[in-house]
């Protein structure tokens, strides 16, 4: 089991191309922890904005009567990938991991695999 800080460090260190990571409470839109980012890429702003994405997708699923659970949401830009991984189990309800990746350096399939493994080890 890994705590939040250890989890965030592992994301940046072990996922090729990772440029920023946050653990976010989507009930409030607040980042519970962040690592990485830059002066021009504020992870707290990204956390709040991506909360809206998660909420919108959940509302849409409800309106459509879809019963499945969201595993992750992928947003692709011309030079970045943004991966949102909803946390399941062990008190993770209402939380997601947000990972920003440099598209030129990242292997998206491996990033998804590693983020899932890290999420499974996270102690919230």
């Amino acid at each position: 089991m890994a705590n939040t800080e250890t989890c965030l460090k592992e994301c940046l260190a072990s996922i090729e191309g990772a440029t920023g990571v946050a653990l976010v409470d989507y009930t409030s839109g607040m980042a519970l922890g962040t690592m990485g980012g830059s002066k021009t890429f504020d992870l707290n702003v990204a956390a709040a904005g991506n909360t809206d994405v998660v909420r919108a997708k959940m509302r849409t699923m409800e309106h459509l009567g879809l019963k499945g659970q969201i595993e992750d949401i992928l947003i692709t830009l011309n030079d970045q990938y943004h991966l949102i991984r909803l946390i399941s189990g062990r008190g993770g309800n209402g939380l997601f991991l947000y990972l920003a990746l440099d598209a030129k350096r990242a292997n998206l399939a491996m990033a998804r695999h590693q983020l899932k493994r890290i999420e499974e080890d996270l102690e919230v």
Side-chain angles (χ1 to χ4, degrees):
M1 299 292 160
N3 66 22
T4 300
E5 184 177 350
T6 302
C7 169
L8 298 178
K9 282 181 183 176
E10 185 175 350
C11 284
L12 281 183
S14 69
I15 300 177
E16 183 70 29
T19 59
V21 63
L23 177 63
V24 184
D25 176 348
Y26 65 78
T27 59
S28 68
M30 299 292 294
L32 304 178
T34 64
M35 199 160 287
S38 67
K39 290 180 185 177
T40 59
F41 189 72
D42 186 332
L43 286 165
N44 289 300
V45 173
N50 284 303
T51 294
D52 292 338
V53 171
V54 170
R55 289 177 184 165
K57 186 59 186 172
M58 289 180 153
R59 275 193 312 274
T60 302
M61 289 176 62
E62 184 180 328
H63 291 306
L64 292 172
L66 300 176
K67 302 297 181 203
Q69 292 188 348
I70 299 169
E71 287 184 16
D72 55 33
I73 298 169
L74 172 64
I75 300 166
T76 60
L77 306 176
N78 61 346
D79 61 347
Q80 296 176 357
Y81 300 130
H82 295 248
L83 190 55
I84 299 166
R85 172 97 191 159
L86 275 71
I87 297 177
S88 59
R90 288 192 318 277
N93 287 340
L95 301 178
F96 66 86
L97 281 166
Y98 166 70
L99 179 65
L101 298 157
D102 178 338
K104 291 179 181 86
R105 296 184 10 239
N107 177 325
L108 187 54
M110 282 303 295
R112 288 184 70 222
H113 174 75
Q114 289 173 285
L115 193 60
K116 182 179 188 227
R117 182 185 49 77
I118 291 167
E119 177 248 333
E120 289 170 350
D121 289 340
L122 177 63
E123 174 94 13
V124 183

